[in-house]
Amino acid sequence: MNAELFWTLVALLTGGAAPIGLLLVSTSITMARQPADMLAMMMSIHSVMSSYMPFLILSLIVLVVVLVKSRRNYPRLSNRAITGLWAGAVATVALDLIRYPVGVGLQTLPGDMPTMFGQFIFGTDEVTGDLLLVGYLYHYLNGADFGLVYTLIAGKVRWYWGVVWGLIVEVLMMTTPPMLLMGVGPFGTNTGAPWYFLTTLAAHIAFGAVLGLVAERFVKERGTIFEILRSTPESSS
């Protein structure tokens, strides 16, 4: 394995899989436990997150090391990783411009997800300023992570591939434990109305479009991650 590919995979694991895994692992284990009520569900998720959190923090530290190292030795990786992170965060703003006024304001969604993230992390249903801060930080960290994964895998591609990525994220969201645990069913089928699915769909299309446009503009080199398998600039490892 060449050195650039190795560090790209490390960035994917630590910057993408690890933070996203915090929610997937905690909700999957909680679903298997079949909690009796919402309080039991929240406390189960909190207990798993508390155990997972040191791994998450270590992963983010490793990601910072990769970013520093790649800036010096692997400019292609550095450009893709940094662009993906900030583009994903900007795209999350676009997502929230639909999610919050429509999903929360018009109550087409069961609640404010960043607030729920904070409640899961703190293990309480009492909404405080600190809880909201942590919840929204985690929400935007997830958005940045999805941007990182996109740019590391796709490289510089046409903007509409970002929409495709947004649709993939939508399908994953609507068919995995984080949403299913709330009882909405796959694609919101248990809600009895299409608004839940349509709101999340529109939000993720907005996310993908903005991510795709920003990545197309600021990622410098074409070629997917598979291109790195075939050709990598000479660098020290």
Side-chain angles (χ1 to χ4, degrees), residues 38 41 98-117 119-120 127 170 173-174 176-201 203-204:
M38 287 295 292
M41 178 189 76
I98 295 175
R99 180 193 65 82
Y100 196 84
V102 179
V104 179
L106 299 181
Q107 298 183 337
T108 60
L109 298 178
D112 180 36
M113 286 305 301
T115 301
M116 293 182 191
F117 293 153
Q119 291 171 329
F120 295 155
V127 179
E170 165 74 3
M173 171 184 168
M174 300 300 284
T176 54
M179 290 295 101
L180 299 183
L181 191 60
M182 299 173 66
V184 299
F187 300 99
T189 52
N190 292 346
T191 63
W195 308 120
Y196 178 87
F197 169 64
L198 292 177
T199 301
T200 59
L201 177 64
H204 282 106

Side-chain angles (χ1 to χ4, degrees), residues 1-17 66 77 152 225 228-229:
M1 179 185 295
N2 62 55
E4 185 183 12
L5 178 61
F6 171 78
W7 290 112
T8 299
L9 294 176
V10 171
L12 279 170
L13 177 64
T14 57
V66 173
L77 170 57
L152 288 183
I225 190 173
I228 304 176
L229 283 167

Side-chain angles (χ1 to χ4, degrees), residues 87-101 140 202-211:
V90 170
T92 305
V93 174
L95 180 147
D96 279 346
L97 289 176
I98 295 175
R99 180 193 65 82
Y100 196 84
Y140 275 84
H204 282 106
I205 289 174
F207 173 87
V210 172
L211 174 61

Side-chain angles (χ1 to χ4, degrees), residues 13-234:
L13 177 64
T14 57
I20 295 168
L22 173 65
L23 186 60
L24 286 174
V25 170
S26 59
T27 53
S28 297
I29 291 175
T30 297
M31 179 173 279
R33 291 174 176 173
Q34 298 182 329
D37 51 38
M38 287 295 292
L39 179 60
M41 178 189 76
M42 182 181 69
M43 295 311 298
S44 174
I45 294 175
H46 172 69
S47 67
V48 179
M49 281 188 166
S50 297
S51 300
Y52 192 103
M53 199 63 70
F55 173 68
L56 172 61
I57 294 172
L58 176 61
S59 296
L60 294 178
I61 292 173
V62 173
L63 176 61
V64 172
V65 172
V66 173
L67 293 177
V68 172
K69 181 177 181 64
S70 65
R71 186 173 181 84
R72 183 174 65 251
N73 296 324
Y74 310 107
R76 173 169 57 180
L77 170 57
S78 175
N79 168 248
R80 293 184 181 193
I82 293 174
T83 299
L85 288 169
W86 74 261
V90 170
T92 305
V93 174
L95 180 147
D96 279 346
L97 289 176
I98 295 175
R99 180 193 65 82
Y100 196 84
V102 179
V104 179
L106 299 181
Q107 298 183 337
T108 60
L109 298 178
D112 180 36
M113 286 305 301
T115 301
M116 293 182 191
F117 293 153
Q119 291 171 329
F120 295 155
I121 293 170
F122 277 75
T124 178
D125 58 1
E126 181 182 357
V127 179
T128 64
D130 290 343
L131 183 145
L132 287 174
L133 176 61
V134 170
Y136 270 86
L137 282 175
Y138 178 71
H139 172 58
Y140 275 84
L141 174 62
N142 263 347
D145 295 335
F146 281 116
L148 173 74
V149 172
Y150 173 74
T151 54
L152 288 183
I153 292 177
K156 186 180 184 69
V157 291
R158 294 299 301 275
W159 69 271
Y160 49 75
W161 285 108
V163 177
V164 174
W165 178 234
L167 292 174
I168 291 172
V169 174
E170 165 74 3
V171 171
L172 292 174
M173 171 184 168
M174 300 300 284
T175 57
T176 54
M179 290 295 101
L180 299 183
L181 191 60
M182 299 173 66
V184 299
F187 300 99
T189 52
N190 292 346
T191 63
W195 308 120
Y196 178 87
F197 169 64
L198 292 177
T199 301
T200 59
L201 177 64
H204 282 106
I205 289 174
F207 173 87
V210 172
L211 174 61
L213 287 167
V214 174
E216 183 181 11
R217 170 65 178 81
F218 291 98
V219 173
K220 295 179 180 178
E221 296 184 41
R222 297 191 180 277
T224 69
I225 190 173
F226 301 105
E227 190 72 22
I228 304 176
L229 283 167
R230 295 189 288 270
S231 175
T232 302
E234 289 296 327

